Amino acid sequence: MEEIHAPLSDQAALAESQHCLYCYDAPCIHACPTGIDVPTFIKRIANGDAAGAAKTILTANILGASCSRVCPTEVLCEGACVLSHEYEPIQIGLLQRYATDYVTARGIFVLDAPAEATGFHVAIVGAGPAGLGCAADLASLGHHVVILEKEVEAGGLNTRGVAYYKMKPRVSLDEVRLVESLGVEIRTGVNVGTDLTAADLLSQYDAIFVAIGLGHESELGIPGEVGAGVRSALDFIRDIHEMPLESVSIGKTVLVIGGGNTAIDAVSQAKRLGATFATLAYRRKEDQMSAYAFEVALARATDCRMIFEAKPVEVVRHGNGGLAGVKFIHASSGKEWIEPCDQLLLAIGQPKQDHFLKSLFPSLQLDARGCVVTDPLTGRTSLHKVFAGGDCANGGMEVVNAVGEGKKAAMAIHHMLTGKTAAPKSQNSRCGIAHPAAGAGLWNPIRSATH
Ligand SMILES: Cc1cc2nc3c(=O)[nH]c(=O)nc-3n(C[C@H](O)[C@H](O)[C@H](O)COP(=O)(O)OP(=O)(O)OC[C@H]3O[C@@H](n4cnc5c(N)ncnc54)[C@H](O)[C@@H]3O)c2cc1C
């Protein structure tokens, strides 16, 4: 369960950084939803200035340390690297990790001090990547930011969901402390909707950013599902983050149902934790899986088995109620069979929070999926003063998308409150920075619904 990629040594980081072409208008910058100026930070490493490199990264993306570990760099910055056409791309993720770990390990604070207080108060609901990304930029612009978080620990899925072999929760919690050091107040154990109403928020704050993520795992709705041995993959993954590894309950024959990244993470971690057999069953064909191909390859490399076109129809139980297996029907041939297992993990998707959102803000516009409709450039919702971003608005993407959407909303909130345009904190005008004018005039719910 150690992190899969070893960190770069000083010598390795120096050597890797010197291979970068430092492209003008570099495609790696445009590929990053937070617009990190990759050539500049790599040049700084090449010059022996790791702290300066960290400043470039963290100013654009306060979660730069976790993104260096969890981002699908193969399809983002490294996938866009011009060297990848002929040779290997620059190892941007590992260099980013090198620089951010350098300052964290030494306790070096590299960010600029926040601007003079503006007197405006902003509430953020949810302390996941979207909420933290929004909070950091608003606080550095001088606004008083309070994040309300229902869990005991902040960080969202970055702290409780991302595979343990990609990142330890400590990295996420260090980032939470970094956000707090900008003056952001994080109130944990506060469940908005129960402990505070929308009316409380609207009357006490000048703007609200909703970043509540998605709901808990969906259910299969087949006979035998409720009972011993069956649990959500998210609960299993959460145990890995919160319990000593030897205490996590793990079967000998583990079956995971699902075809996305959560399913892949669950089956890989079950095998790494000691399951004798770990199998993933997906109802469609392999090329229809939403999991990234490199994650599937990683699971196979740890001896995980995969079966496709397997539609579950019943959870089969022994006479005493114990879990015996799952009956499947093959989607093409119609053949039925029972796949034995003593632990079944469900990873068939997190439901949207539409019911909760409607109860909180009855007139908030949601799209057909149950996501908050937002202006893609600003995160504005259909309600005055209310912005949204991250999984609850995009339907479930990656950590870096959530941070990018938080940043966009921060710029738009700053403009709404002060009438001023903040200087960009990152290089990517297409992704990381919203043009504030768009917030006032370009509201387009049709475009938003499909983003
Ligand atoms: C198992 C799993 C593995 C993943 N692995 C990766 C990966 O390797 N790489 C990657 O880039 N992405 C990964 N993701 C996706 C990534 O974690 C999410 O896209 C990202 O965390 C979304 O951030 P968010 O802030 O929108 O939501 P979240 O991270 O879900 O944070 C939302 C926060 O809001 C809080 N909240 C909810 N309701 C309330 C309320 N009523 N009051 C107060 N607080 C509330 C929650 O407790 C939570 O802390 C993974 C997701 C899962 C499920």
Side-chain angles (χ1 to χ4, degrees):
M1 297 295 276
E2 285 307 309
E3 288 186 6
I4 38 177
H5 297 297
L8 295 177
S9 65
D10 292 339
Q11 292 81 357
L14 191 61
E16 184 68 13
S17 64
Q18 288 168 347
H19 289 132
C20 179
L21 301 177
Y22 315 116
C23 303
Y24 174 72
D25 197 23
C28 51
I29 301 176
H30 294 291
C32 174
T34 60
I36 294 174
D37 187 343
V38 176
T40 296
F41 94 69
I42 293 182
K43 186 73 186 163
R44 287 184 166 168
I45 294 175
N47 290 341
D49 180 14
K55 179 170 183 168
T56 303
I57 296 162
L58 296 173
T59 302
N61 179 345
I62 197 77
L63 301 198
S66 57
C67 283
S68 74
R69 290 164 166 88
V70 309
C71 266
T73 50
E74 294 83 348
V75 295
L76 294 174
C77 52
E78 291 174 17
C81 176
V82 294
L83 289 175
S84 65
H85 300 301
E86 297 281 341
Y87 310 100
E88 290 292 304
I90 297 294
Q91 297 183 68
I92 299 169
L94 280 174
L95 287 171
Q96 183 168 316
R97 175 175 168 184
Y98 171 78
T100 51
D101 284 359
Y102 180 92
V103 290
T104 308
R106 291 164 180 74
I108 304 171
F109 183 82
V110 289
L111 297 170
D112 290 334
E116 203 177 314
T118 61
F120 291 110
H121 297 262
V122 181
I124 295 181
V125 187
L132 293 170
C134 185
D137 279 13
L138 282 171
S140 68
L141 289 166
H143 304 295
H144 180 247
V145 183
V146 175
I147 308 187
L148 306 159
E149 168 57 52
K150 69 176 178 180
E151 297 284 347
V152 177
E153 299 267 34
L157 288 169
N158 236 8
T159 303
R160 293 179 286 278
V162 169
Y164 204 73
Y165 56 81
K166 287 185 195 161
M167 179 173 80
K168 302 284 177 280
R170 170 190 51 77
V171 178
S172 171
L173 294 174
D174 282 345
E175 289 176 329
V176 170
R177 300 289 93 80
L178 184 61
V179 172
E180 286 179 320
S181 70
L182 292 169
V184 173
E185 189 185 335
I186 303 182
R187 296 186 197 153
T188 55
V190 179
N191 194 337
V192 173
T194 309
D195 303 326
L196 274 173
T197 64
D200 295 331
L201 295 178
L202 290 165
S203 64
Q204 291 169 24
Y205 295 94
D206 300 299
I208 297 157
F209 180 62
V210 179
I212 58 170
L214 296 172
H216 210 58
E217 203 69 65
S218 304
E219 290 172 359
L220 285 168
I222 58 174
E225 180 176 2
V226 179
V230 183
R231 62 188 313 215
S232 96
L234 280 183
D235 286 342
F236 168 70
I237 292 169
R238 186 176 175 142
D239 280 359
I240 295 172
H241 287 77
E242 295 182 350
M243 296 168 72
L245 290 181
E246 57 279 11
S247 310
V248 176
S249 166
I250 182 83
K252 276 204 172 70
T253 307
V254 179
L255 182 62
V256 179
I257 295 186
N261 286 315
T262 303
I264 283 288
D265 282 358
V267 77
S268 284
Q269 292 182 100
K271 190 75 180 103
R272 284 164 196 263
L273 274 174
T276 314
F277 301 104
T279 303
L280 177 146
Y282 179 50
R283 68 196 161 113
R284 297 203 178 98
K285 296 187 174 156
E286 178 167 0
D287 60 6
Q288 292 172 291
M289 288 175 87
S290 58
Y292 288 115
F294 57 86
E295 304 266 19
V296 176
L298 190 64
R300 284 212 169 94
T302 42
D303 283 339
C304 295
R305 185 176 150 243
M306 315 230 172
I307 51 177
F308 299 101
E309 296 193 78
K311 186 170 178 290
V313 288
E314 183 187 345
V315 175
V316 183
R317 296 197 170 271
H318 297 295
N320 63 3
L323 181 64
V326 176
K327 185 193 276 185
F328 288 98
I329 183 161
H330 193 270
S332 298
S333 68
K335 188 185 87 176
E336 280 191 2
W337 81 102
I338 292 174
E339 200 61 44
C341 64
D342 57 11
Q343 187 174 40
L344 176 61
L345 302 175
L346 304 182
I348 52 170
Q350 295 171 262
K352 310 295 182 287
Q353 301 249 49
D354 43 347
H355 294 297
F356 170 72
L357 286 163
K358 274 290 176 196
S359 67
L360 194 63
F361 297 107
S363 51
L364 182 67
Q365 193 181 350
L366 305 179
D367 67 18
R369 301 172 301 167
C371 299
V372 185
V373 175
T374 56
D375 181 316
L377 293 177
T378 63
R380 271 176 189 268
T381 72
S382 54
L383 299 181
H384 176 57
K385 295 204 321 194
V386 181
F387 296 72
D391 281 1
C392 70
N394 65 35
M397 293 179 78
E398 310 289 343
V399 169
V400 70
N401 300 97
V403 179
E405 290 172 23
K407 288 167 61 69
K408 284 182 204 174
M411 297 291 280
I413 290 170
H414 178 71
H415 186 259
M416 179 188 80
L417 296 176
T418 65
K420 293 181 191 153
T421 303
K425 284 185 174 294
S426 60
Q427 298 297 309
N428 189 348
S429 56
R430 281 187 297 180
C431 300
I433 297 299
H435 192 288
L442 294 185
W443 163 239
N444 180 346
I446 295 169
R447 192 175 39 151
S448 309
T450 54
H451 89 279

